[in-house]
Amino acid sequence: MKQLTTAQQQREILANNLNELLELKRKTQADVIRDTGFAEATVRSWFSGEKYPRLDKIQALADYFNVPRSRITEEQIDGMLKVSQLVSIPVLGDIACGDPITAEENIQGYRDEVADMLPTGNLFYLHCKGDSMAPTIPNGAYVLIRQQPDVEDGEIAAVLVNGDTEATLKRVKRQGSLVMLMPDNQSYDPYVVTPDNPARILGKALKMSADL
């Protein structure tokens, strides 16, 4: 039989979970207060374990952190996935010229991954827009990229084009000194890299998540 928790234990479990989620999502209590519109004293009382929120507020917190409601209210049991085992991988949006690739200005969100299942290196996600790489990578898919300056011939890479402002996914093909960025969808033309039409490889595509 599951042991019942006291009101104080429930408050402590909730506070521990909320503080773990803050670290995971790279947020602060001030962010939660600003983004949800909840009163500062109320939010801080939840995170300190002094008070327990109503059900509608728990749901609002779950929606804010993009987790099930149980992740807010239930103790994390041994043998189940711990928050410390999750890593937030940035999803890149528009690239600001001159900034490091994963600078805050370039990040449009984060996706959580289990740390033990991730490769080494600096990782980020790209959100595929369009069908130039279909059927290999459908429109709307998220593609995990490991940052590296080059890839092997025939591999799919994240490539910076249009004056270092747009990251695109293409298959890299080389013929002698000629470098071409090839779409898998034959309805699209190759992108031929030239001094007037430059491109820079950001990293290698490792895996795709097709949860649109």
Side-chain angles (χ1 to χ4, degrees):
M1 177 180 295
K2 183 178 180 181
Q3 184 178 3
L4 296 177
T5 57
T6 67
Q8 180 180 355
Q9 288 173 324
Q10 289 176 331
R11 292 195 300 271
E12 290 175 355
I13 289 168
L14 178 129
N16 288 337
N17 289 341
L18 288 177
N19 283 292
E20 286 176 341
L21 287 168
L22 273 190
E23 182 177 356
L24 172 66
K25 301 292 184 177
R26 303 180 186 181
K27 299 286 187 180
T28 64
Q29 289 187 33
D31 292 329
V32 177
I33 293 164
R34 182 189 67 244
D35 297 338
T36 64
F38 296 152
E40 178 177 350
T42 300
V43 171
R44 298 201 184 283
S45 71
W46 298 337
F47 281 83
S48 66
E50 295 174 8
K51 293 184 179 179
Y52 198 86
R54 298 196 311 265
L55 183 59
D56 60 328
K57 298 298 191 295
I58 293 173
Q59 185 61 58
L61 288 167
D63 293 341
Y64 177 73
F65 287 114
N66 193 28
V67 295
R69 198 165 60 209
S70 60
R71 184 63 188 84
I72 301 284
T73 60
E74 294 181 9
E75 186 175 11
Q76 303 306 291
I77 300 170
D78 289 342
M80 296 180 65
L81 187 64
K82 299 283 189 178
V83 69
S84 60
Q85 294 175 281
L86 294 177
V87 177
S88 291
I89 307 296
V91 180
L92 298 194
D94 295 331
I95 310 297
C97 265
D99 281 347
I101 294 306
T102 52
E104 193 65 33
E105 292 81 3
N106 301 334
I107 296 172
Q108 65 180 19
Y110 292 88
R111 289 174 63 85
D112 295 336
E113 293 285 351
V114 180
D116 291 345
M117 300 176 66
L118 288 173
T120 58
N122 187 23
L123 305 173
F124 60 89
Y125 266 105
L126 282 183
H127 190 199
C128 183
K129 300 174 183 178
D131 60 353
S132 68
M133 289 302 291
T136 310
I137 303 175
N139 179 35
Y142 289 88
V143 180
L144 183 65
I145 307 294
R146 179 174 59 211
Q147 190 169 352
Q148 57 188 67
D150 204 359
V151 297
E152 297 293 328
D153 187 51
E155 291 182 329
I156 297 175
V159 186
L160 211 52
V161 295
N162 291 343
D164 273 10
T165 62
E166 179 185 350
T168 185
L169 291 161
K170 291 292 183 290
R171 198 174 295 277
V172 177
K173 289 285 190 179
R174 296 179 177 88
Q175 294 180 357
S177 61
L178 181 65
V179 178
M180 294 181 293
L181 307 180
M182 305 293 296
D184 279 7
N185 186 339
Q186 296 184 1
S187 298
Y188 289 80
D189 294 327
Y191 181 107
V192 180
V193 180
T194 68
D196 295 328
N197 205 31
R200 179 161 61 93
I201 292 174
L202 296 177
K204 177 182 176 179
L206 300 178
K207 75 168 188 173
M208 177 192 70
S209 299
D211 48 337
L212 309 182

